[in-house]
Amino acid sequence: MTNDENLTVKQQREKRRAEKVAALKAKQKKEKRGRLVAIVLSATAVVAVLGIVITVVVSNATRPAPQVPLTAAERAAIEIEGEELFPGLDPTHTTDPVQYDVMPPAGGPHNPSWLNCGIYEEEQPVEYAVHSLEHGAVWLAYDPEQLSDEQLTELRRVAPDRHAIVSPIAGLESPIIASAWGARVQVDGPADERITQFIDKYWLSPSAPEPGALCSNALDGPGRVS
Protein backbone atom coordinates (compact mmCIF):
# COMPACT_ATOMS: atom_id res chain seq x y z
CA MET A 1 0.00 0.00 0.00
CA THR A 2 1.25 3.49 -0.82
CA ASN A 3 2.42 5.51 2.20
CA ASP A 4 0.42 8.77 2.48
CA GLU A 5 3.66 10.59 3.43
CA ASN A 6 5.04 9.93 -0.05
CA LEU A 7 1.94 11.38 -1.76
CA THR A 8 1.42 14.96 -2.78
CA VAL A 9 -1.44 16.90 -1.22
CA LYS A 10 -3.46 16.46 -4.40
CA GLN A 11 -2.84 12.72 -4.44
CA GLN A 12 -3.80 12.40 -0.78
CA ARG A 13 -7.05 14.31 -1.46
CA GLU A 14 -7.88 12.08 -4.43
CA LYS A 15 -7.14 8.98 -2.38
CA ARG A 16 -9.48 10.10 0.43
CA ARG A 17 -12.19 10.88 -2.16
CA ALA A 18 -11.75 7.45 -3.74
CA GLU A 19 -12.04 5.81 -0.32
CA LYS A 20 -15.24 7.73 0.41
CA VAL A 21 -16.70 6.77 -2.96
CA ALA A 22 -15.81 3.11 -2.35
CA ALA A 23 -17.38 3.22 1.12
CA LEU A 24 -20.52 4.87 -0.26
CA LYS A 25 -20.83 2.24 -2.99
CA ALA A 26 -20.37 -0.55 -0.43
CA LYS A 27 -23.10 0.99 1.76
CA GLN A 28 -25.46 1.34 -1.20
CA LYS A 29 -24.78 -2.26 -2.25
CA LYS A 30 -25.52 -3.49 1.28
CA GLU A 31 -28.76 -1.48 1.44
CA LYS A 32 -29.83 -2.80 -1.97
CA ARG A 33 -29.16 -6.36 -0.86
CA GLY A 34 -31.22 -5.71 2.26
CA ARG A 35 -34.11 -4.37 0.19
CA LEU A 36 -33.99 -7.42 -2.08
CA VAL A 37 -34.07 -9.75 0.92
CA ALA A 38 -37.06 -7.85 2.32
CA ILE A 39 -38.86 -8.08 -1.04
CA VAL A 40 -38.20 -11.83 -1.29
CA LEU A 41 -39.38 -12.41 2.27
CA SER A 42 -42.52 -10.34 1.66
CA ALA A 43 -43.25 -12.21 -1.57
CA THR A 44 -42.74 -15.53 0.20
CA ALA A 45 -45.14 -14.49 2.94
CA VAL A 46 -47.75 -13.43 0.37
CA VAL A 47 -47.43 -16.77 -1.45
CA ALA A 48 -47.77 -18.63 1.84
CA VAL A 49 -50.92 -16.70 2.74
CA LEU A 50 -52.38 -17.26 -0.72
CA GLY A 51 -51.61 -20.95 -0.38
CA ILE A 52 -53.49 -21.10 2.90
CA VAL A 53 -56.45 -19.22 1.42
CA ILE A 54 -56.56 -21.47 -1.64
CA THR A 55 -56.35 -24.57 0.54
CA VAL A 56 -59.23 -23.37 2.69
CA VAL A 57 -61.35 -22.48 -0.35
CA VAL A 58 -60.69 -25.81 -2.07
CA SER A 59 -61.25 -27.83 1.09
CA ASN A 60 -64.58 -26.09 1.63
CA ALA A 61 -65.75 -26.29 -1.99
CA THR A 62 -67.54 -29.49 -1.06
CA ARG A 63 -68.09 -29.80 2.67
CA PRO A 64 -66.60 -33.00 4.11
CA ALA A 65 -69.07 -35.45 5.55
CA PRO A 66 -69.76 -35.11 9.29
CA GLN A 67 -67.82 -37.37 11.63
CA VAL A 68 -70.49 -37.13 14.34
CA PRO A 69 -73.96 -38.51 13.46
CA LEU A 70 -76.82 -36.02 13.43
CA THR A 71 -79.73 -36.26 15.82
CA ALA A 72 -83.02 -37.82 14.73
CA ALA A 73 -84.62 -34.38 14.55
CA GLU A 74 -81.80 -32.99 12.41
CA ARG A 75 -82.05 -35.96 10.04
CA ALA A 76 -85.82 -35.63 9.74
CA ALA A 77 -85.47 -31.99 8.71
CA ILE A 78 -83.33 -32.86 5.66
CA GLU A 79 -85.27 -33.07 2.39
CA ILE A 80 -83.44 -34.58 -0.59
CA GLU A 81 -84.72 -33.97 -4.09
CA GLY A 82 -85.12 -37.22 -6.05
CA GLU A 83 -84.63 -39.45 -3.03
CA GLU A 84 -85.88 -43.04 -3.45
CA LEU A 85 -87.23 -44.81 -0.37
CA PHE A 86 -87.50 -48.58 0.14
CA PRO A 87 -89.48 -49.32 3.31
CA GLY A 88 -89.85 -52.80 4.82
CA LEU A 89 -86.68 -54.37 3.39
CA ASP A 90 -85.91 -57.96 4.40
CA PRO A 91 -82.70 -58.15 6.52
CA THR A 92 -82.38 -61.94 6.21
CA HIS A 93 -78.87 -63.42 6.07
CA THR A 94 -78.18 -65.87 3.24
CA THR A 95 -75.15 -67.42 1.59
CA ASP A 96 -77.02 -67.71 -1.73
CA PRO A 97 -76.64 -65.13 -4.53
CA VAL A 98 -79.32 -62.43 -4.33
CA GLN A 99 -81.07 -60.80 -7.27
CA TYR A 100 -81.69 -57.18 -6.28
CA ASP A 101 -84.30 -55.01 -7.98
CA VAL A 102 -81.97 -51.99 -8.20
CA MET A 103 -78.22 -51.53 -8.35
CA PRO A 104 -76.73 -50.63 -6.01
CA PRO A 105 -79.36 -51.98 -3.61
CA ALA A 106 -80.65 -50.09 -0.59
CA GLY A 107 -80.92 -53.23 1.52
CA GLY A 108 -82.53 -56.64 1.42
CA PRO A 109 -81.26 -60.19 2.04
CA HIS A 110 -77.48 -60.30 2.26
CA ASN A 111 -74.45 -62.39 3.15
CA PRO A 112 -73.84 -63.15 6.85
CA SER A 113 -70.46 -61.38 6.52
CA TRP A 114 -70.12 -57.71 5.71
CA LEU A 115 -67.73 -55.82 3.44
CA ASN A 116 -65.10 -53.84 5.30
CA CYS A 117 -65.87 -50.20 4.74
CA GLY A 118 -63.33 -48.22 2.73
CA ILE A 119 -62.40 -47.01 -0.73
CA TYR A 120 -62.19 -49.60 -3.51
CA GLU A 121 -61.13 -49.33 -7.15
CA GLU A 122 -62.80 -52.60 -8.19
CA GLU A 123 -66.39 -53.84 -8.05
CA GLN A 124 -67.40 -55.49 -4.79
CA PRO A 125 -69.59 -58.51 -3.90
CA VAL A 126 -72.96 -56.83 -3.52
CA GLU A 127 -74.38 -59.18 -0.88
CA TYR A 128 -71.49 -58.24 1.44
CA ALA A 129 -71.84 -54.51 0.81
CA VAL A 130 -75.56 -54.68 1.62
CA HIS A 131 -74.66 -56.16 5.00
CA SER A 132 -72.53 -53.05 5.61
CA LEU A 133 -75.61 -50.93 4.92
CA GLU A 134 -77.36 -52.89 7.65
CA HIS A 135 -74.71 -51.55 10.02
CA GLY A 136 -75.47 -47.94 9.10
CA ALA A 137 -72.88 -47.47 6.34
CA VAL A 138 -73.45 -45.35 3.26
CA TRP A 139 -72.40 -46.71 -0.14
CA LEU A 140 -71.20 -44.21 -2.76
CA ALA A 141 -71.24 -46.28 -5.94
CA TYR A 142 -70.02 -44.72 -9.18
CA ASP A 143 -69.84 -45.62 -12.85
CA PRO A 144 -66.16 -45.27 -13.85
CA GLU A 145 -67.17 -44.51 -17.45
CA GLN A 146 -69.23 -41.50 -16.37
CA LEU A 147 -66.86 -39.97 -13.82
CA SER A 148 -63.59 -38.10 -14.43
CA ASP A 149 -60.47 -38.69 -12.34
CA GLU A 150 -60.96 -35.32 -10.67
CA GLN A 151 -64.57 -36.15 -9.79
CA LEU A 152 -63.54 -39.53 -8.39
CA THR A 153 -60.91 -37.87 -6.20
CA GLU A 154 -63.54 -35.45 -4.88
CA LEU A 155 -66.06 -38.25 -4.28
CA ARG A 156 -63.51 -40.14 -2.21
CA ARG A 157 -62.79 -36.98 -0.23
CA VAL A 158 -66.47 -36.41 0.52
CA ALA A 159 -66.94 -39.91 1.96
CA PRO A 160 -66.82 -40.28 5.77
CA ASP A 161 -63.67 -41.91 7.08
CA ARG A 162 -65.65 -44.79 8.59
CA HIS A 163 -68.86 -46.64 7.83
CA ALA A 164 -68.68 -45.67 4.17
CA ILE A 165 -67.96 -47.58 0.95
CA VAL A 166 -66.78 -45.99 -2.28
CA SER A 167 -66.60 -48.44 -5.19
CA PRO A 168 -67.28 -48.67 -8.93
CA ILE A 169 -70.23 -50.40 -10.56
CA ALA A 170 -70.28 -50.45 -14.35
CA GLY A 171 -73.44 -49.42 -16.18
CA LEU A 172 -75.17 -47.38 -13.48
CA GLU A 173 -78.15 -45.21 -14.40
CA SER A 174 -76.29 -42.13 -13.10
CA PRO A 175 -72.61 -41.27 -12.58
CA ILE A 176 -73.05 -41.65 -8.80
CA ILE A 177 -75.71 -43.42 -6.75
CA ALA A 178 -75.58 -43.04 -2.98
CA SER A 179 -77.36 -45.72 -1.01
CA ALA A 180 -78.06 -46.50 2.63
CA TRP A 181 -80.43 -48.95 4.24
CA GLY A 182 -83.85 -48.06 2.86
CA ALA A 183 -82.84 -45.10 0.68
CA ARG A 184 -80.97 -44.07 -2.48
CA VAL A 185 -80.34 -40.95 -4.51
CA GLN A 186 -78.89 -40.56 -8.01
CA VAL A 187 -76.62 -37.59 -8.79
CA ASP A 188 -74.47 -36.42 -11.67
CA GLY A 189 -71.31 -35.59 -9.70
CA PRO A 190 -69.70 -35.18 -6.26
CA ALA A 191 -70.33 -31.42 -6.28
CA ASP A 192 -74.08 -32.05 -6.05
CA GLU A 193 -75.20 -30.94 -2.58
CA ARG A 194 -77.47 -33.96 -2.33
CA ILE A 195 -74.41 -36.15 -1.73
CA THR A 196 -73.63 -34.44 1.57
CA GLN A 197 -77.35 -34.15 2.38
CA PHE A 198 -77.70 -37.90 1.92
CA ILE A 199 -74.67 -38.63 4.11
CA ASP A 200 -75.96 -36.23 6.78
CA LYS A 201 -79.33 -37.96 6.79
CA TYR A 202 -78.37 -41.63 6.56
CA TRP A 203 -74.79 -42.11 7.80
CA LEU A 204 -75.03 -44.29 10.94
CA SER A 205 -78.77 -43.73 10.86
CA PRO A 206 -80.81 -45.27 13.69
CA SER A 207 -83.25 -46.44 11.00
CA ALA A 208 -80.71 -49.06 9.86
CA PRO A 209 -81.29 -52.52 11.38
CA GLU A 210 -77.93 -52.55 13.23
CA PRO A 211 -76.62 -48.96 13.31
CA GLY A 212 -73.06 -48.62 14.56
CA ALA A 213 -72.19 -52.31 14.28
CA LEU A 214 -68.69 -53.03 12.97
CA CYS A 215 -67.80 -52.15 9.40
CA SER A 216 -64.35 -53.74 9.68
CA ASN A 217 -62.72 -57.05 10.67
CA ALA A 218 -64.66 -58.93 7.99
CA LEU A 219 -64.25 -59.15 4.20
CA ASP A 220 -61.65 -57.00 2.47
CA GLY A 221 -62.90 -56.83 -1.10
CA PRO A 222 -60.64 -56.71 -4.16
CA GLY A 223 -58.84 -53.48 -5.06
CA ARG A 224 -59.02 -51.79 -1.70
CA VAL A 225 -57.29 -48.39 -1.73
CA SER A 226 -57.81 -47.36 1.88
Side-chain angles (χ1 to χ4, degrees):
M1 178 179 296
T2 303
N3 193 324
D4 286 354
E5 295 179 355
N6 298 325
L7 299 176
T8 65
V9 173
K10 181 178 180 181
Q11 289 173 330
Q12 291 178 12
R13 189 162 51 245
E14 290 177 351
K15 180 184 177 184
R16 286 194 296 272
R17 185 169 61 250
E19 289 174 347
K20 289 181 179 179
V21 170
L24 179 60
K25 288 183 177 179
K27 180 181 179 181
Q28 291 175 338
K29 184 177 181 181
K30 183 178 179 180
E31 291 175 347
K32 182 178 181 181
R33 184 165 58 247
R35 287 195 297 271
L36 288 174
V37 170
I39 291 171
V40 169
L41 290 176
S42 298
T44 302
V46 170
V47 170
V49 171
L50 286 175
I52 293 172
V53 171
I54 291 171
T55 299
V56 170
V57 171
V58 171
S59 64
N60 287 293
T62 301
R63 183 179 54 79
Q67 298 304 306
V68 177
L70 299 184
T71 65
E74 289 171 330
R75 295 177 192 273
I78 298 174
E79 296 182 0
I80 305 174
E81 182 181 355
E83 178 184 31
E84 304 171 76
L85 300 178
F86 302 83
L89 292 170
D90 180 7
T92 300
H93 289 178
T94 178
T95 56
D96 297 329
V98 179
Q99 294 295 321
Y100 296 101
D101 294 334
V102 294
M103 189 61 61
H110 51 272
N111 194 276
S113 181
W114 57 88
L115 177 69
N116 289 335
C117 286
I119 294 174
Y120 294 89
E121 59 183 6
E122 297 181 28
E123 294 199 25
Q124 300 304 305
V126 178
E127 291 86 356
Y128 291 78
V130 171
H131 193 149
S132 300
L133 300 185
E134 184 182 37
H135 292 183
V138 293
W139 186 2
L140 305 180
Y142 65 92
D143 186 343
E145 295 298 322
Q146 301 187 64
L147 217 61
S148 68
D149 292 341
E150 291 76 13
Q151 288 176 312
L152 176 55
T153 297
E154 182 61 16
L155 178 65
R156 290 174 173 178
R157 192 192 72 81
V158 169
D161 60 9
R162 60 190 177 94
H163 281 78
I165 299 168
V166 180
S167 68
I169 298 179
L172 291 180
E173 301 169 71
S174 299
I176 301 171
I177 301 181
S179 60
W181 191 272
R184 299 193 330 155
V185 67
Q186 302 183 39
V187 300
D188 292 329
D192 192 315
E193 66 176 357
R194 292 178 297 167
I195 287 281
T196 51
Q197 288 176 341
F198 188 88
I199 295 171
D200 285 348
K201 189 171 183 176
Y202 291 109
W203 181 63
L204 291 174
S205 170
S207 63
E210 299 176 17
L214 283 177
C215 203
S216 58
N217 300 331
L219 175 70
D220 254 347
R224 181 167 184 173
V225 176
S226 64

